[in-house]
């Protein structure tokens, strides 16, 4: 009886696999489907060619297949170096190129699924990781790890590599804190859609989230705010005298290392962001001596606009503070970049501060914007000593910036000229304009959305239309456009399911804009792929928005987007 049930289940899966349209996101460079299938089951072995015996890609692959498809596959010791003479039936073969295939670059791969075997070729482990993601999407979309049996994989050949090297997502963990378990789940879904940069917004007015040994008050005080989680974000009252600060949290160094390693296995580079010189109420609540004034700063609750807290630019201890933070951060993050913020620093306190004004005078700076630039350059020099580079929000251009800095362009309303000028100076640019990339905006009519958002309107179709290399850019600017990123600020994201709802499926739309060749993008085709993707996401336990909103759906009463007034990040 048991046997016949298993057989029936297998037959049903096979029937459904062959009748289901294949849905791969992001769309590969080249995909050729045929009508057969390869049966993945517990007899399938994993073969790694030109891969060291202790290379962790072996264990990552086993773990991936177990977690997504429920099968524990053995690794065969087959080490035949020449595929032409090799026949390994019933195997998934991973062959690392000894002569680099230029087309594949650092992240590309080819994948061939025949009815007898699966063959994957790549220059790097990153290519293997992405081939696995594509292979998983050739399985029926409702397969889960709980139903291990024989899994029919659609026969296909794929050649695939990315259009842009920077395919990012920012997650704000200051406005709301998300624990290690969720961050890992978040990284998993980024990897599924071939996103390779996780921009971790670790510090802001509403909470400091990273353990720093030299400044323990950052996490003793700065990581905690009074609990206003039972009232809507916009209605939180300031703390009362003596009220305990109980809401928040932070990541220990050990947890950070664990997450960075977890991300690296998935070809994701983690870029930490430490805000300089504004968005720092939580620092000033912990170390009031770094302020220009004697105001009683506290870790912010709810709305805080304009964010007036700013680190004193005339105080040498402040510069040393940031250098000390860098010293501890570089130990944790192998990433080439440290993000130093630089956005929305309201400089009223600097205008009124004798120390700041004295610094401006001594250094013969023109104004407070140049004081910010000077501060950032001081920290940048320190970061360079570690062989790393800075990224800053586009405000860092305002008082002058070195050509080594990477600019993260976010103010969509500024127009192209700012970006073009930065490219002319030689700055790398990452495109995260509000009007295509701010996925904290509403994705459907606010009147019908249960999930509150910061405002704005960014429907799925608009994200899908995003191309970081704007047609209006001159040819000469294009090489400086490194890619793009979806930013998820967390004011209204109280729990992981809120994060997932805002992220999915807009992340899928973004991923096609950053990975797939422009010529392969097709909105109607993408929409047809979504039901299978949603099934897959549901099988993996993710929440998502089920509406497919169009650009033309913009409600008449949509909260104003793309204006400076709207922003509360
Ligand atoms: C930003 O949204 N303030 C970078
Ligand atoms: Zn000052």
């Amino acid at each position: 009886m048991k046997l016949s049930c298993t057989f029936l289940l297998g037959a049903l899966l096979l029937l459904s696999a062959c009748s289901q349209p294949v849905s791969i996101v992001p769309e590969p460079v080249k995909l050729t489907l045929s009508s057969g299938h390869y049966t993945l089951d517990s007899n399938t072995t994993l073969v790694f060619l030109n891969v060291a015996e202790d290379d962790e890609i072996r264990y990552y692959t086993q773990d991936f297949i177990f977690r997504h498809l429920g099968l524990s596959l053995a690794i065969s010791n087959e080490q035949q170096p020449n595929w032409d003479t090799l026949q390994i039936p019933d195997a998934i073969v991973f062959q690392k190129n000894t002569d680099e295939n230029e087309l594949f670059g650092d992240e590309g791969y080819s994948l061939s699924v025949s009815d007898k075997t699966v063959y994957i070729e790549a220059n790097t482990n990153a290519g293997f990781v992405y081939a696995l993601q594509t292979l998983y999407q050739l399985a029926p979309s409702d397969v889960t790890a709980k139903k291990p049996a024989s899994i029919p994989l659609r026969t296909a050949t794929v050649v695939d590599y990315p259009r842009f090297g920077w395919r990012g997502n920012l997650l704000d963990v200051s406005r709301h804190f998300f624990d290690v378990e969720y961050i890992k789940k978040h990284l998993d879904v980024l990897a599924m859609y071939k996103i390779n940069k996780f921009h971790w917004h670790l510090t802001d007015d509403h909470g400091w989230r990273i353990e720093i040994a030299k400044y323990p008050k950052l996490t003793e005080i700065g990581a905690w705010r009074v609990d206003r989680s039972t009232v809507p974000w916009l209605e939180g009252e300031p703390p009362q005298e003596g009220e305990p600060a109980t809401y928040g949290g932070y990541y220990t160094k050990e947890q950070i290392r664990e997450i960075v390693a977890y991300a690296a296995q998935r070809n994701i580079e983690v870029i930490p962001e430490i805000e300089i010189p504004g968005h720092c109420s939580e620092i000033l609540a912990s170390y009031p001596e770094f302020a220009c004034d004697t105001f009683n700063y506290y870790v912010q609750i709810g709305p805080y606009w304009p964010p007036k807290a700013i680190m004193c630019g005339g105080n040498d201890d402040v510069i040393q503070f940031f250098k000390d933070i860098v010293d501890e951060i570089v130990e944790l993050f192998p990433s080439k970049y440290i993000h130093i913020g630089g956005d929305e620093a309201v400089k009223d306190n600097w205008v009124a501060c004798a120390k700041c004004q004295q610094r401006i005078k001594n250094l013969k700076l023109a104004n407070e914007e140049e004081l910010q630039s000077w501060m950032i350059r001081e920290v940048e020099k320190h970061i360079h000593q570690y062989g790393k580079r800075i990224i800053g929000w586009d405000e860092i251009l305002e008082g002058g910036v070195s050509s080594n800095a990477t600019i993260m362009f976010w103010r969509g309303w500024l127009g192209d000229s700012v970006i073009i000028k930065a490219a002319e100076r030689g700055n790398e640019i990452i495109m995260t304009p509000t009007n295509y990339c701010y996925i904290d905006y509403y994705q459907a009519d606010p009147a019908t959305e249960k999930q509150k958002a910061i405002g704005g309107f960014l429907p799925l179709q608009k994200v899908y239309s995003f191309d970081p290399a704007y047609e209006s850019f001159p040819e000469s600017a294009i090489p400086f456009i490194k890619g793009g990123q979806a930013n998820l600020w967390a004011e209204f994201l109280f729990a992981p399911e809120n994060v997932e709802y805002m992220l999915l499926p807009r992340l899928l739309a973004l991923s096609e804009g950053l990975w797939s060749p422009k010529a392969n993008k097709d909105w109607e085709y993408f929409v047809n792929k979504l039901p299978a993707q949603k099934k897959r996401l549901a099988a993996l336990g993710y929440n998502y928005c089920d509406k497919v909103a169009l650009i033309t759906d913009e409600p008449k009463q949509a909260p104003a987007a793309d204006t400076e007034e709207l922003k509360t990040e």
Side-chain angles (χ1 to χ4, degrees), residues 375-407:
M375 258 179 107
I376 287 176
R377 277 181 212 245
E378 286 300 297
V379 181
E380 183 182 18
K381 277 190 263 171
H382 196 67
I383 289 174
H384 283 173
Q385 285 176 13
Y386 288 102
K388 293 179 187 282
R389 299 171 61 151
I390 64 161
I391 303 178
W393 297 110
D394 57 47
E395 285 94 332
I396 69 170
L397 294 165
E398 286 166 2
V401 73
S402 85
S403 61
N404 286 319
T406 297
I407 310 301

Side-chain angles (χ1 to χ4, degrees), residues 45-59:
T45 56
L46 301 173
V47 177
F48 293 89
L49 303 177
N50 304 326
V51 174
E53 268 187 33
D54 57 353
D55 193 314
E56 65 174 26
I57 190 67
R58 293 167 177 262
Y59 314 109

Side-chain angles (χ1 to χ4, degrees), residues 292 312-314 350 353 355-356:
C292 291
C312 180
W350 283 5
C353 170
K355 278 199 227 162
C356 286

Side-chain angles (χ1 to χ4, degrees), residues 273 275 279 343-344 393 395 410 434 438 487 489 567-569:
E273 181 182 353
E275 280 272 14
H279 282 287
D343 60 319
E344 300 173 322
W393 297 110
E395 285 94 332
W410 73 277
T434 46
Y438 268 46
N487 293 342
W489 304 99
K567 294 306 306 160
T568 60
E569 270 86 65

